[in-house]
Amino acid sequence: MKKKVMILISIILILITGIGIFTSLNKDAISYNDIIQLADNLVNVNNVILHIENIGDNINSNGGTFYIKDGIEIILNRDNSVLEWQDTINNEIIYIDKSSKKIQIRKDRTNSYLYTPYELLESYMNDNFKYKYIGKEQIGNFECYTIQVKNKDEFYQYSFNIDTGLLIKSIIETTDDNNETSHIERNYKYTFML
């Protein structure tokens, strides 16, 4: 009888120790809603130049430069000519096609290129994507939360600055119908203007 009691007490102690270790290792983990809340930090972000640098295979673009001021966003080509002008407040886009020398103006829902965690994750969570918190990591001078969302054909990893909610790095992997995978990494750099 004493042997059974000792075994039972040992099992209970092992379970309690295991739960304690698991809890202490995961106390840093943040939820999907915690990531979404980072969007609140972006409310006052304005007057910024955003440069996106693309690294990877099958890339048609080296990235881009975006000037963002008072709800107006100007997207530049590699030669610094204007490619697109969009008004995110009035949902108007002006697209300039240099090759055909045509301008298209359309009323359309526009999203800022200052992607918020909410905008990036909102679309995935309804399409069988699974969310996973990877952890905190240092990217350059920034402490970031890194998360993943993926399904069987697509994988996205985003790192957001903990202090500002700004996207610092993304990794995108997609598999096409021929089972070929493309891998793109993007680095986001911000210059704030007065």
Side-chain angles (χ1 to χ4, degrees), residues 114-131:
L114 285 173
Y115 297 115
T116 68
Y118 176 77
E119 289 166 338
L120 286 170
L121 297 178
E122 174 190 38
S123 59
Y124 300 128
M125 298 318 286
N126 298 325
D127 293 329
N128 297 321
F129 279 85
K130 300 215 181 315
Y131 165 83

Side-chain angles (χ1 to χ4, degrees), residues 3-18:
K3 190 175 181 180
K4 288 182 180 179
V5 171
M6 290 303 286
I7 291 173
L8 183 61
I9 290 173
S10 296
I11 291 172
I12 291 172
L13 288 175
I14 290 171
L15 284 173
I16 291 171
T17 303

Side-chain angles (χ1 to χ4, degrees), residues 42 52 111-117 119-120 160 165-167 188:
L42 291 176
I52 301 174
N111 288 322
S112 173
Y113 284 94
L114 285 173
Y115 297 115
T116 68
E119 289 166 338
L120 286 170
F160 297 100
L166 290 170
L167 184 59
Y188 300 79

Side-chain angles (χ1 to χ4, degrees), residues 20-149:
I21 290 170
F22 179 78
T23 303
S24 68
L25 290 175
N26 287 306
K27 70 178 182 189
D28 216 15
I30 59 173
S31 71
Y32 171 79
N33 288 330
D34 292 333
I35 290 290
I36 296 297
Q37 300 252 331
L38 282 175
D40 291 341
N41 291 328
L42 291 176
V43 170
N44 295 323
V45 174
N46 199 0
N47 301 339
V48 64
I49 300 170
L50 165 60
H51 181 72
I52 301 174
E53 175 188 44
N54 290 334
I55 304 165
D57 51 310
N58 303 328
I59 296 177
N60 296 327
S61 165
N62 292 331
T65 302
F66 308 84
Y67 288 86
I68 302 164
K69 182 175 172 63
D70 301 327
I72 304 298
E73 302 192 8
I74 300 170
I75 303 147
L76 301 182
N77 276 316
R78 279 182 243 160
D79 65 359
N80 285 331
S81 63
V82 175
L83 172 68
E84 186 175 295
W85 178 96
Q86 71 176 23
D87 180 343
T88 59
I89 296 169
N90 297 311
N91 291 320
E92 184 175 67
I93 298 173
I94 299 173
Y95 176 75
I96 301 162
D97 186 347
K98 282 178 65 173
S99 59
S100 68
K101 297 186 179 183
K102 292 186 177 178
I103 295 175
Q104 299 173 3
I105 301 173
R106 65 184 188 270
K107 286 285 205 180
D108 202 354
R109 183 173 182 269
T110 61
N111 288 322
S112 173
Y113 284 94
L114 285 173
Y115 297 115
T116 68
Y118 176 77
E119 289 166 338
L120 286 170
L121 297 178
E122 174 190 38
S123 59
Y124 300 128
M125 298 318 286
N126 298 325
D127 293 329
N128 297 321
F129 279 85
K130 300 215 181 315
Y131 165 83
K132 181 179 179 185
Y133 172 68
I134 301 303
K136 287 183 183 177
E137 67 176 315
Q138 193 74 24
I139 299 177
N141 296 326
F142 306 107
E143 187 175 16
C144 297
Y145 288 132
T146 298
I147 56 118
Q148 290 177 353
V149 285

